Each structure stands twice: as C-alpha cells, then as structure tokens.
Amino acid sequence: MKIRLSILIALTLMALASCRTEIEREITDYKYFDVPTSDTAGGPVLYAVTDEEHLQYGARVAYVSSTGDTVIPLGKYAYYGTDTLIHYANVIELPNDSTYGRQIAIDRNQRVLFDLVMFDNGSEPFIEGLTRVYRNGKMGYANKYGQVAIPCIYEYAKQFENSKAQVTFDAVEYIDMDEHTRVESDDWFEIDKTGKRIKK
C-alpha cells in the first residue's frame, strides 16, 4: 500500500511539474550609463509627442522642450508611459523587423540606464521610492533619478514592503497552468533600502 501511495505521489508531482513552462532569462552584455549624483537636479523638462493619431503605448515618440525644440527625435523609440521626461523616460526600442525591442529607461541624451521590469501591461511603479529594474538579466532597484540605488546582482528581487525586500541569488521563474508567472527559490533573504542584508 505504501509503495502504491509513493508511486501515486511521484506521478502527481511529475504531472504538476510538466504543466509549467520555465522562463529562461536572457543574459546579455549591454552597456549601461550610471547617473552620477551631480545629475540628480535634472535639466529642462521634455514632453512626449507623436506623429500618430494618439499618444498611446507603442506609438512612435519624440521628446521636445517647452520651446518646441526636438531633443529626442522620432524614429528610435515607442511610447511606454512617460509623458514628461524630468530625469529619464521609459520607452520601447522601435523594431527593426516585426517585433518591438527592449523596454528600457533612457536619459535626455538617449543613454540606456536599465531595462524595465514589467508590471501588468506597463513598467513597474515606484514603491517606497524604488522600482525593480534589470541589467543584463539580473535584478536590482532604481530611484526616481534613474540611478541604480541597489545593484542588479540578484536572480530575482521582490518589491519593497515596510522598508524590506526579499531577494535571492538562485531562483526558477516559470509560467504555471493558469498562465501566471511564479518564482521559486530555497534561498530568499531580506535586504533594507540601502541593499544591506538584514540578519535574523
């Protein structure tokens, strides 16, 4: 009887494991710009404009000054929710073929600061002053100035809550039977908003 039960449990676990699709995160060697502290004052505000009928997600976007000077021209980026560029803008690289490129944050000089973490159908909001970001497949946190405040060294990082966040260097991300993204790890630990590990 015990052998039958063990076999049944093993088969059930194998069936459940086969009903999920593991997500392979792409590891790249992109170059990123680190915003120095001296740049946190920002420059003149830039405004998103498009030559399409509506300024909506995926529309070709340019950023212009209040005097109408084009600072970031049309043709390279698509709109991704940033109407007003103060410190940086979330944009989508326009496709070279039939697919859109990366979702990235750029400064007014079009330097790439980091790749964006998806949240629902847009970029992740700020929570407790930080947002999760990617650099070359690893996660960390950025502030409102576009500075990576906690380095992108984690395999997975959760959002901050009560000034703490759970992170891990070893995680498996997958899509379950209900098409939801899940993350598993045996090695979660907590960090504070300076990136320091919280001892228990």
Side-chain angles (χ1 to χ4, degrees), residues 23-30 32 102 114-117 133-140 152-157 168-169 171 173:
I23 299 169
E24 291 290 328
R25 193 175 302 159
E26 184 182 7
I27 305 299
T28 59
D29 62 351
Y30 294 125
Y32 298 93
R102 296 159 54 202
F114 42 79
D115 293 271
L116 303 171
V117 171
V133 297
Y134 290 114
R135 279 187 169 183
N136 291 321
K138 299 293 184 182
M139 293 182 83
C152 296
I153 58 174
Y154 304 107
E155 189 68 25
Y156 196 84
T168 182
F169 292 115
E173 194 171 1

Side-chain angles (χ1 to χ4, degrees), residues 8-23:
L8 182 61
I9 290 171
L11 290 173
T12 302
L13 291 174
M14 286 172 33
L16 287 173
S18 67
C19 293
R20 67 185 207 182
T21 305
E22 192 170 322
I23 299 169

Side-chain angles (χ1 to χ4, degrees), residues 49-52 59-63 70 72-78 92-96 110:
V49 296
T50 185
D51 61 351
E52 298 184 27
R60 288 164 30 105
V61 70
Y63 285 89
T70 301
I72 300 175
L74 281 168
K76 194 169 178 184
Y77 304 109
I92 305 169
E93 290 181 323
L94 276 175
N96 294 328
Q110 301 182 61

Side-chain angles (χ1 to χ4, degrees), residues 21-144:
T21 305
E22 192 170 322
I23 299 169
E24 291 290 328
R25 193 175 302 159
E26 184 182 7
I27 305 299
T28 59
D29 62 351
Y30 294 125
K31 303 298 180 217
Y32 298 93
F33 178 72
D34 290 315
V35 177
T37 303
S38 60
D39 281 2
T40 57
V45 174
L46 303 179
Y47 302 95
V49 296
T50 185
D51 61 351
E52 298 184 27
E53 186 174 347
H54 301 288
L55 183 61
Q56 61 190 1
Y57 283 84
R60 288 164 30 105
V61 70
Y63 285 89
V64 301
S65 69
S66 59
T67 59
D69 295 322
T70 301
V71 178
I72 300 175
L74 281 168
K76 194 169 178 184
Y77 304 109
Y79 180 74
Y80 201 55
T82 302
D83 295 324
T84 307
L85 190 163
I86 299 172
H87 298 289
Y88 71 90
N90 295 333
V91 295
I92 305 169
E93 290 181 323
L94 276 175
N96 294 328
D97 49 29
S98 62
T99 59
Y100 283 100
R102 296 159 54 202
Q103 293 112 359
I104 56 174
I106 59 169
D107 68 7
R108 66 187 59 251
N109 297 309
Q110 301 182 61
R111 295 176 294 206
V112 178
L113 308 180
F114 42 79
D115 293 271
L116 303 171
V117 171
M118 294 289 292
F119 185 80
D120 288 335
N121 290 322
S123 57
E124 183 169 90
F126 282 91
I127 297 174
E128 297 190 12
L130 296 171
T131 185
R132 296 179 300 167
V133 297
Y134 290 114
R135 279 187 169 183
N136 291 321
K138 299 293 184 182
M139 293 182 83
Y141 301 84
N143 63 25
K144 67 179 183 178

